[in-house]
Amino acid sequence: MKDMNNKGIPSTVPAKSATFTDPVNAEIRRAAATGIYDIRGGGAKRRVPHFDDLLFLGASISRYPLEGYREKCETKVTLGTRFAKNPVELDIPITIAGMSFGALSGPAKEALGRGASAAGTSTTTGDGGMTAEERAHSSKLVYQYLPSRYGMNPDDLRKADAIEVVVGQGAKPGGGGMLLGQKISDRVADMRTLPKGIDQRSACRHPDWTGPDDLEIKILELREITGWKVPVYVKVGGTRPYYDVALAVKAGADVVVLDGMQGGTAATQDVFIENVGLPTLACIRPAVQALQDLGLHREVQLIISGGIRTGADVAKALALGADAVSIGTAAMIAIGDNDPRWEAEYQELGTTAGAYDDWHEGRDPAGITTQDPELAARLDPVDAGRRLRNYLKVLTLEAQTIARACGHNHLHNLEPEDLCALTMEAAAMAKVPLAGTDWYPGKKET
Amino acid sequence: MQQYDLETDGLRGLNAALQAQAAEPEHTAWEVLNPRGSHAIAVGLNAPLDVTVRGPAGYYCGGMNQQANVRVQGSAGPGVAENMMSGRVIVEGDASQYAGATGHGGLLVIKGNASSRCGISMKGIDIVVHGNIGHMSAFMAQGGSLVVCGDAGDALGDSIYEARLFVRGSVKSLGTDCVEKEMRPEHLDLLTGLLERAESDAKPEEFRRYGSARKLYNFDVDHADEY
């Protein structure tokens, strides 16, 4: 009962619904006014069980630690040892995920190439094809073979150090992308063989195959075109990791890239990003189990992506059985996206630094997710590349520090026994014991 | 004429030999014996070669072709001339699904019939089918021309962009945003040239033209029911 007459009677405190929150109500009003769902970039923003819910145990008596800054902790990784004549050898097990020219500006792609190369790792093309700048500045470049086949050509295929057949993406498994027409410059339109100014709807499935048997033959074709020289990765969105990894391996993948729901995207439906797929943490153990059941764990390498931010995340993914991780959103932040220095301009766009995700509109104040020449010129690719290199080095140092503390002289020697979980959910997903116990949900008694 | 027996010498050797001609075309005429439905025959070529496949080919024959003329004296499996960039692929028999898928250029001729999804996501390739084509052909076709001398199945040209479709026979149904369009003199000229290059004696004036209504190029909630 409300005290409408202000007669001193205690009044009911207005309470907002936990279901109909301010953001939910605002979205209902926006949808009603425009007739279109919210399209945005980035990955899932909702809280889901994550690497933060795991802790390393470190060493005491039962384990013997290595001296930080003194004893060697190796970081090198080789990807694509199964069939390729020329596997990809990286100094660190952290790669840069596929992000397209078109979604990102030319200077941003150049910065990613510069930073990755300086840190001894690879970068990846995206929907839209390979640009000359990207190839020139990337010592190891993975060429994505995407459902849209925008800009796909055999000359670029042969220039790649690896081919990544993209079947799905963590932010939108089963879904395609959408770059709105206003972001389509002449160059982007030309690369995608579409008229300038129309919406770019990336396909959700490969047009010329319909299942794992076709995928196997498609991989054969790609190998024949490239002379069996470079590894073929298969990238899947995290939904049914056990079966998808097993089928990717059966189809002939050298490397499986598994992208959890915190993985980013250039542009797709918010409802999709937040409601489809599995948390990255939940993807790893089923994927590793599939590889182990096939007797191919470590022979077919596993790259995990989706929400990797720190060296601890890197170390945890590796401890759970991954061979490497891949970063996208974190790399964008490292080169300057959502930087508070542009706060005034983010405010003008109706958002704030740290929350800007309308990358498809092409008005990114940081000059990264745009094709506007004036905005793109704000990003110095040399300086941004240096920042990315520094960040990759920090991630590596952090992971090494943890590995040494757990007594390991190589990041790949991290193992599930180095971990415990803070929550029941994380314990169940990662199959590591709840902290202080030797139990996790679903553990079979031996 | 170089002869290569797939049964005895294997796929890798064939493609390696053909691809090596890109650097210095020493031999321009090749004959492939005993294909027996092998996949990925003559893929990734990039030289002005004449390759004759004596028998049926499996998936992706002539895939990503550049410059070469590949002739299949038999039927072709799914994805023939997939993502072709230039040159010509001729199938003297029938072709399976997704013939010419995502092709950027060149000419694909199918003298028999083609199955579903012919020309799916085509981006500049020209495809001439002497017989009929199946359903969902030219789905999301972005550029190039698809000429069908026979009939077309369901949902022709669904979500089509700038590709041009010409059909001489019946069309079972048109897909979303695909409409019949006026056949103007420039289209008759284009069609005349394509039919000649495809060794077809069909008459251009017997064809009807289809293309995009361009209503779905930019999202509009008032068109949502058409998706």
Side-chain angles (χ1 to χ4, degrees), chain A residues 291-312:
Chain A
L291 293 169
Q292 289 172 338
D293 288 352
L294 292 165
L296 291 170
H297 188 216
R298 304 299 184 197
E299 187 174 336
V300 173
Q301 287 79 35
L302 177 67
I303 300 177
I304 290 294
S305 56
I308 302 284
R309 311 148 302 169
T310 66

Side-chain angles (χ1 to χ4, degrees), chain A residues 10-11 29 39 62 64 83 146 148 198 247 252 254-255 268 271 310 323 366 374 376 389 404 408 414 417 419:
Chain A
S11 62
R29 294 185 193 103
I39 294 174
S62 53
Y64 188 74
F83 293 122
L146 287 137
S148 72
I198 72 169
L247 287 169
D254 291 297
V255 174
T268 199
V271 69
T310 66
D323 295 278
E374 287 185 20
R389 176 260 187 197
R404 286 194 189 95
H408 300 306
L414 286 160
E417 286 71 17
L419 292 166

